[in-house]
Amino acid sequence: MNTKVWKVDKYVDNLESNPHIVDAAHFLKENEVVAMPTETVYGLAGNAENDEAVAKIFAAKGRPADNPLIIHIAEQEQLNRFVAEVPEKAAILMDKFWPGPLTIIFKMKEGVLSEKATAGLTTVGVRMPDHPVALALLRTCGLPIAAPSANSSGKPSPTTAGHVLDDLEGKIAGVVDGGPTGVGVESTVIDCTETFPVILRPGGVTKEQLEAVIGEVHIDPALKNEAAKPKAPGMKYRHYAPNAPLYLVSGTREFLQRLVAEKRAEGLRVGVLTTEEHADEYEAEVVLTCGRRAELETVAAALYDVLRRFNEQQVDVIFSEMFPYEGVGYAIMNRLEKAAGNKVIKE
């Protein structure tokens, strides 16, 4: 398959009339799949109402069939098409955080969306992306769009069109190149079908921000306890992993450097994931900085790109610093734990 690339300037007015957007929307209406930029990561978009289109998403990614897809919309009114009810707290969250990196779980109307997209569940996750190119594409095609991250399943999510092509060129119809994404980690997923909303995946909107507008918010126990069964089926899978084994290091930077030295003595090519503040403190074959520890938003934005760069450097093992479990740091650590398969070395 020839994968088309449509380069679109997100700062241009009247994006819905852009010929590249119109062309990409035509592909979506024809039940093909195309990658599109969002403010979090690039998504692999397909018609959520069509089994054939959804099957192409799963096939291109190599995604497990029991891992449901998030539905993307451009207007709140589109919810009426496939959502059974909108709880009061969900409505408050939509008004506050949409468009933005927040996915809300609703009870679903039967017989509208592809069962493949919802993995046979009675609920559905929906979000409205905060990216002008994505919104223009969604409005132009007029469809509810299923769009997981546009990468091979299990690998680091794509934050540029180049990352998408590295994984999926020849497997999908096209890529709408809207430049690098901003937030860097995927949306927060919150289930609003219960009495108390429950965070199923931490992301670009923090628990603190959510509680500031709707009060008490719970966290899925599976995010803290590996033995617990996750409410979101996809959270049981390993994600975001670079090619080399990744270990999180709980301890001092001197301890991390000793681990590096041990592996180097074995003749291995070692990588270190750190931040700008600490980069000069490590001696290894590859030391990559992931933003600034003092501004965790910069770490989130750079995380997936850095994990992919370790692949380019062909390291044998990677040691990573850890980050505070607060604010967006919770999302960063969730992704690093998934990438490492929860392997933590303690001092």
Side-chain angles (χ1 to χ4, degrees):
M1 178 186 296
N2 178 39
T3 301
K4 298 186 68 172
V5 178
W6 301 279
K7 194 168 182 63
V8 178
D9 183 352
K10 66 180 180 181
Y11 298 108
V12 173
D13 293 333
N14 303 316
L15 278 171
E16 288 165 49
S17 62
N18 183 296
H20 294 326
I21 294 291
V22 173
D23 195 23
H26 174 74
F27 273 73
L28 291 173
K29 291 175 184 178
E30 292 296 312
N31 298 321
E32 297 293 344
V33 295
V34 302
M36 68 177 184
T38 75
E39 80 282 20
T40 57
V41 300
Y42 272 72
L44 186 55
N47 180 1
E49 297 178 342
N50 182 269
D51 284 344
E52 178 188 1
V54 175
K56 289 177 181 177
I57 293 174
F58 279 92
K61 284 180 61 68
R63 184 182 177 97
D66 66 344
N67 195 351
L69 307 179
I70 292 172
I71 310 304
H72 293 61
I73 61 174
E75 308 290 347
Q76 288 192 24
E77 291 73 21
Q78 289 179 276
L79 288 175
N80 299 330
R81 193 161 164 176
F82 57 90
V83 164
E85 61 179 298
V86 177
E88 180 182 0
K89 290 183 178 179
I92 294 171
L93 292 176
M94 288 189 296
D95 288 342
K96 176 68 175 179
F97 296 109
W98 280 10
L102 181 68
T103 294
I104 301 174
I105 305 294
F106 299 94
K107 292 179 180 177
M108 182 180 60
K109 289 180 180 177
E110 294 184 11
V112 181
L113 299 176
S114 165
E115 287 192 10
K116 294 179 183 294
T118 59
L121 300 176
T122 59
T123 57
V124 61
V126 187
R127 89 176 188 97
M128 185 187 297
D130 188 15
H131 194 291
V133 173
L135 290 172
L137 184 58
L138 291 168
R139 291 189 182 109
T140 303
C141 74
L143 297 166
I145 291 295
S149 55
N151 59 298
S152 295
S153 191
K155 295 302 181 183
S157 299
T159 54
T160 69
H163 293 163
V164 177
L165 292 169
D166 287 344
D167 282 11
L168 302 181
E169 186 167 15
K171 298 180 180 179
I172 61 176
V175 180
V176 182
D177 182 355
T181 61
V183 177
V185 293
E186 291 86 350
S187 61
T188 301
V189 178
I190 186 167
D191 185 351
C192 284
T193 66
E194 307 288 346
T195 302
F196 288 104
V198 180
I199 293 175
L200 306 186
R201 179 179 73 186
V205 177
T206 68
K207 180 176 185 285
E208 294 84 353
Q209 289 173 313
L210 294 168
E211 290 188 326
V213 294
I214 60 170
E216 185 176 357
V217 171
H218 294 179
I219 294 177
D220 185 353
L223 291 175
K224 298 179 179 179
N225 179 6
E226 192 178 353
K229 181 180 179 180
K231 290 189 67 176
M235 295 308 290
K236 68 187 178 184
Y237 294 107
R238 189 180 181 206
H239 295 286
Y240 323 116
N243 294 338
L246 170 66
Y247 296 88
L248 306 182
V249 179
S250 176
T252 62
R253 294 187 289 282
E254 291 77 13
F255 175 64
L256 194 154
Q257 181 59 51
R258 289 200 298 273
L259 296 174
V260 171
E262 291 172 5
K263 293 301 180 182
R264 296 181 80 194
E266 296 173 12
L268 298 182
R269 184 173 171 80
V270 182
V272 173
L273 190 158
T274 181
T275 58
E276 293 177 11
E277 294 95 329
H278 303 153
D280 294 338
E281 300 181 34
Y282 297 109
E283 184 178 345
E285 280 69 28
V286 180
V287 177
L288 295 182
T289 60
C290 191
R292 297 176 294 281
R293 180 172 287 270
E295 300 174 75
L296 290 180
E297 292 79 8
T298 66
V299 176
L303 181 60
Y304 293 142
D305 181 63
V306 167
L307 291 176
R308 285 176 175 268
R309 284 165 58 199
F310 279 120
N311 293 345
E312 297 168 5
Q313 297 290 336
Q314 298 182 327
V315 296
D316 298 307
V317 63
I318 305 164
F319 295 107
S320 172
E321 293 181 353
M322 296 179 68
F323 298 90
Y325 286 87
E326 56 188 38
V328 74
Y330 202 110
I332 294 167
M333 286 306 303
N334 171 264
R335 303 317 192 267
L336 282 173
E337 287 165 350
K338 291 289 183 183
N342 291 300
K343 297 189 297 290
V344 180
I345 301 176
K346 298 182 178 180
E347 188 169 10

